[in-house]
Amino acid sequence: MNETDETEEEGVSNFVRDVVRGDFSSGKTKSVVTRFPPEPNGYLHIGHAKSICLNFGIAAEFGGRCHLRFDDTNPTNEEIEYIEAIKKDVTWLGFDWGEHLYFASDNFDKLYGFAVNLIEQEKAYVCDLCPDEMREFRGTLTKPGKDSPRRNSPVDGNLDLFARMKAGEFEDGKYVLRAKIDMASGNMNMRDPVLYRILNASHPRTGDAWHIYPTYDFAHGQSDAIEGITHSICTLEFTDHRPLYDWCIENLPVPSEPHQYEFARLNLTYAVLSKRKLMQLVSENLVNGWDDPRMPTISGLRRRGIPPEAIRDFATRIGVTKSDSTVEVELLNHCVREYLNKIAQRRLGVLRPLKVVIENYPEGQTEEVGAINNPENEASGRRMVPFSKVLYIEQNDFMEDPPKKYYRLTPGKEVRFRYAYFITCQEAIKDVAGNVIELRCTYDPETKGGNSPDGRKIKGTIHWVSAEHAIDADINMYEHLFDHPNPGVEGDLIDDINPNSLTTLTGCKLEPSLANSVVGEAVQFERNGYFAVDPSSTPDHLIYNQTMAMRDSWAKIQAKDMSAGK
Ligand code: ATP
Ligand code: MG
């Protein structure tokens, strides 16, 4: 059985929870403090959502707390815009860091003090090798490294140089501060790693105060210790950094002793989850910004109409493991449909309209038919929808020469118009090119409400909108952004972009109650799927985004697997 089959929280692997539980029962931990540590160099994506749900989820489960800490140690890529976007996304996902908003840059003074402390202990030194030499001196996996010529230089000289690095006396790259650990270590991260580098760059928060910036490896663990983090949870690529993490904690007068735990990052089919690649899509205008509904960013998912509840459910179902795997995007879609099915109001909306005239319906008459708002939730009640002589139906709900088992509108056959009447098509009117442009139909007044008066069976039910009362909308229809399940793996990422990922339908016809729709509200257009108002929509120009089509391929795959005994 594959791990995603398990939907109950208890059954899903989450080894971090087991670790924390163990730490509580052994007395190692009295309270749990976690953190989510984004680098503000782009918008968050669904992979980050996995980490957010894990970190905030563990804290909540064990009565602890989770900090939001910006890892802002690399001023050249970082922007305030990203900080604000990240805060908005975490909040929208349903998590609250309370008073515990931190920045690695808050700790710059303390980190500098720790670096000085290492120099004084003769555990760090200023190195002047150029990048090429540095690479050469590092050695390889099979060859030990060589000592830097400055490795054993006296403390005073190092203190002086480090202070002058800080004061901005040198150009970028002239010196670095390195930890003095082991140039022969089998772990390359332990071969005198760089702790500080010179960057004469302005920082979004500290401005021009600093000319040196700590590396991730030096800033991260010490920030964890300063904040009292107990479980520092990160992705597997940091496993080889853990010995360095521990070395710093052991060798510095830090106020607490955090531990690092690594889990497998989320990979998702038909998507890329790397800020660098997402940035490329944005900067090359291959999508309409970070929040383009085709993007796997939190802001893109939100704009598409995907609710935070579905993302949290997805995060629970995928579990937390120690081995890398790729999750099928159908599982996410399944979570979205399952949630929206429960909460979304049903409405009638025609995406590709075809005009229908009911010839025997009185001219100028309008009547209201009662429609169910959500069959999954009786409390959501009913609404009235106007019905009249001229209506729109979907173009593909009519066929002149239908194949077998086509139960929609065809000449001479009766079909149910949802909530209204039984309708029979009498004639299809065509333009000169032979396209059907209008249907002439009749209705049976005895079938009001769509009920059969004499037990005659009607197989097909289709939706419709009254022409006179319809409101117009543009609807953005989406497919996967990439047409390859592992985009960029076999070639250039850009070549895998699906040219049909966005189709905008104009002149869609919606029932009038949708005039008051608001951003963030999920709606199901019956038979067509789930839709959400785009934030750029105005009352005069309604724009919807397709959140999810109706079909549930995930459920189908599951059913097939089950019947195949997988
Ligand atoms: P990207 O690869 O998208 O650039 P990143 O690791 O550089 O991501 P950070 O801002 O450093 O992005 O990530 C913040 C936190 O989110 C880190 O703890 C990181 O391990 C975690 N994270 C990033 N990507 C994923 C992912 N795909 N799945 C799970 N967690 C992730
Ligand atoms: Mg990172």
Side-chain angles (χ1 to χ4, degrees):
M1 186 150 98
N2 99 32
E3 69 181 59
T4 50
D5 285 340
E6 301 179 43
T7 52
E8 277 171 28
E9 201 153 328
E10 279 303 295
V12 176
S13 155
N14 181 338
F15 76 90
V16 178
R17 178 194 289 141
D18 300 338
V19 167
V20 175
R21 202 175 275 147
D23 289 348
F24 268 101
S25 50
S26 72
K28 185 171 160 192
T29 296
K30 303 238 160 5
S31 68
V32 59
V33 186
T34 57
R35 85 287 169 269
F36 172 65
E39 187 181 347
N41 61 350
Y43 282 58
L44 298 182
H45 52 64
I46 183 130
H48 295 114
K50 175 179 181 180
S51 174
I52 293 167
C53 292
L54 173 60
N55 278 294
F56 280 92
I58 289 283
E61 188 175 336
F62 292 94
R65 61 174 201 262
C66 179
H67 300 179
L68 175 61
R69 181 199 318 143
F70 287 98
D71 225 316
D72 56 345
T73 52
N74 193 1
T76 43
N77 302 328
E78 295 165 5
E79 285 176 28
I80 299 284
E81 177 200 343
Y82 300 136
I83 294 177
E84 293 310 316
I86 289 168
K87 287 202 271 191
K88 180 175 171 182
D89 288 349
V90 175
T91 303
W92 177 79
L93 272 177
F95 300 105
D96 182 7
W97 54 85
E99 300 155 10
H100 301 284
L101 173 65
Y102 301 108
F103 292 83
S105 57
D106 296 340
N107 299 326
F108 279 174
D109 282 321
K110 282 187 183 151
L111 292 169
Y112 181 79
F114 286 148
V116 168
N117 180 294
L118 282 179
I119 296 172
E120 287 167 349
Q121 294 184 62
E122 294 188 58
K123 286 178 178 161
Y125 60 95
V126 173
C127 174
D128 61 356
L129 292 177
C130 71
D132 279 345
E133 291 167 324
M134 189 84 128
R135 216 165 297 125
E136 188 205 320
F137 276 58
R138 259 186 113 206
T140 64
L141 282 176
T142 50
K143 201 173 97 200
K146 279 192 296 187
D147 284 2
S148 158
R150 295 204 78 266
R151 193 173 202 262
N152 295 312
S153 48
V155 170
D156 284 350
N158 282 316
L159 286 175
D160 176 59
L161 270 178
F162 190 49
R164 290 168 60 199
M165 284 165 65
K166 176 178 187 254
E169 283 188 29
F170 309 114
E171 72 269 28
D172 289 5
K174 173 100 175 116
Y175 294 108
V176 292
L177 182 75
R178 296 175 70 176
K180 190 167 164 182
I181 308 180
D182 179 3
M183 287 308 292
S185 172
N187 182 338
M188 301 294 278
N189 293 299
M190 299 300 271
R191 294 189 187 174
D192 291 12
V194 173
L195 306 180
Y196 265 92
R197 69 259 197 246
I198 299 174
L199 268 178
N200 292 291
S202 197
H203 184 282
R205 297 187 77 250
T206 58
D208 296 322
W210 293 85
H211 297 270
I212 53 172
Y213 291 93
T215 54
Y216 171 89
D217 280 324
F218 192 60
H220 200 87
Q222 279 50 258
S223 297
D224 284 344
I226 291 165
E227 289 176 25
I229 302 298
T230 55
H231 296 77
S232 180
I233 305 164
C234 63
T235 36
L236 288 177
E237 67 270 25
F238 293 103
T239 309
D240 287 346
H241 296 241
R242 184 166 13 105
L244 176 55
Y245 185 103
D246 292 342
W247 183 90
C248 290
I249 298 292
E250 276 159 28
N251 285 285
L252 285 168
V254 286
S256 76
E257 285 188 22
H259 287 275
Q260 177 182 302
Y261 303 89
E262 308 88 14
F263 70 100
R265 62 197 293 119
L266 171 67
N267 302 300
L268 196 63
T269 54
Y270 297 99
V272 289
L273 297 186
S274 141
K275 276 187 277 188
R276 190 178 52 76
K277 291 178 188 165
L278 296 173
M279 173 79 82
Q280 182 189 0
L281 297 172
V282 173
S283 58
E284 295 181 15
N285 291 317
L286 299 165
V287 293
N288 303 314
W290 286 99
D291 68 345
D292 186 304
R294 291 167 294 178
M295 292 278 271
T297 50
I298 312 269
S299 51
L301 299 173
R302 173 169 63 233
R303 186 164 186 174
R304 188 160 178 159
I306 289 178
E309 291 85 351
I311 298 175
R312 296 200 302 263
D313 179 32
F314 172 72
T316 303
R317 293 197 201 199
I318 58 178
V320 184
T321 64
K322 273 208 164 275
S323 56
D324 273 318
S325 67
T326 300
V327 175
E328 290 183 46
V329 71
E330 282 78 10
L331 176 61
L332 174 63
N333 297 351
H334 175 73
C335 295
V336 173
R337 287 195 187 91
E338 193 171 277
Y339 183 74
L340 289 181
N341 180 46
K342 278 188 282 185
I343 63 122
Q345 297 260 314
R346 273 53 167 178
R347 294 290 181 264
L348 302 181
V350 173
L351 305 186
R352 296 173 183 86
L354 172 62
K355 188 173 165 190
V356 169
V357 178
I358 314 287
E359 291 184 314
N360 61 338
Y361 193 84
E363 193 82 45
Q365 177 173 308
T366 298
E367 66 185 295
E368 304 259 307
V369 300
I372 298 168
N373 284 331
N374 184 353
E376 301 289 318
N377 176 9
E378 227 168 88
S380 63
R382 295 166 80 83
R383 70 190 184 286
M384 301 310 280
V385 184
F387 181 87
S388 64
K389 186 179 179 76
V390 184
L391 309 161
Y392 292 112
I393 64 166
E394 297 288 347
Q395 287 166 13
N396 66 5
D397 278 340
F398 173 79
M399 273 185 101
E400 202 163 20
D401 298 306
K404 264 193 187 158
K405 297 196 175 169
Y406 183 84
Y407 299 122
R408 304 178 230 172
L409 207 53
T410 62
K413 257 215 193 130
E414 220 174 18
V415 78
R416 179 188 291 104
F417 274 32
R418 179 91 157 138
Y419 301 125
Y421 293 101
F422 291 0
I423 308 279
T424 308
C425 174
Q426 307 296 346
E427 187 193 355
I429 297 175
K430 296 177 184 168
D431 63 11
V432 284
N435 302 310
V436 175
I437 51 167
E438 186 179 318
L439 301 176
R440 294 276 159 171
C441 301
T442 52
Y443 84 119
D444 176 354
E446 302 301 311
T447 57
K448 182 152 190 188
N451 300 314
S452 182
D454 50 12
R456 68 186 193 263
K457 289 238 164 10
I458 300 289
K459 275 224 163 121
T461 300
I462 65 174
H463 62 274
W464 50 272
V465 171
S466 164
E468 187 192 335
H469 307 92
I471 51 173
D472 282 359
D474 291 352
I475 301 186
N476 296 315
M477 304 291 286
Y478 298 108
E479 292 179 11
H480 296 317
L481 180 54
F482 297 99
D483 45 24
H484 194 288
N486 305 112
V489 165
E490 281 163 19
D492 191 346
L493 178 70
I494 306 302
D495 295 338
D496 286 337
I497 289 185
N498 172 7
N500 304 316
S501 60
L502 167 64
T503 306
T504 301
L505 303 175
T506 56
C508 306
K509 302 289 182 182
L510 310 179
E511 67 164 83
S513 69
L514 288 165
N516 306 317
S517 307
V518 295
V519 175
E521 204 173 66
V523 61
Q524 184 195 97
F525 296 163
E526 290 200 19
R527 301 173 64 229
N528 275 323
Y530 298 96
F531 295 81
V533 175
D534 189 79
S536 70
S537 188
T538 65
D540 297 332
H541 185 187
L542 262 189
I543 303 172
Y544 273 88
N545 296 323
Q546 178 194 39
T547 309
M548 205 57 68
M550 215 59 181
R551 175 181 41 91
D552 192 343
S553 53
W554 176 254
K556 277 189 201 150
I557 293 169
Q558 297 284 91
K560 237 177 30 206
D561 283 2
M562 297 252 283
S563 63
K566 278 190 210 164

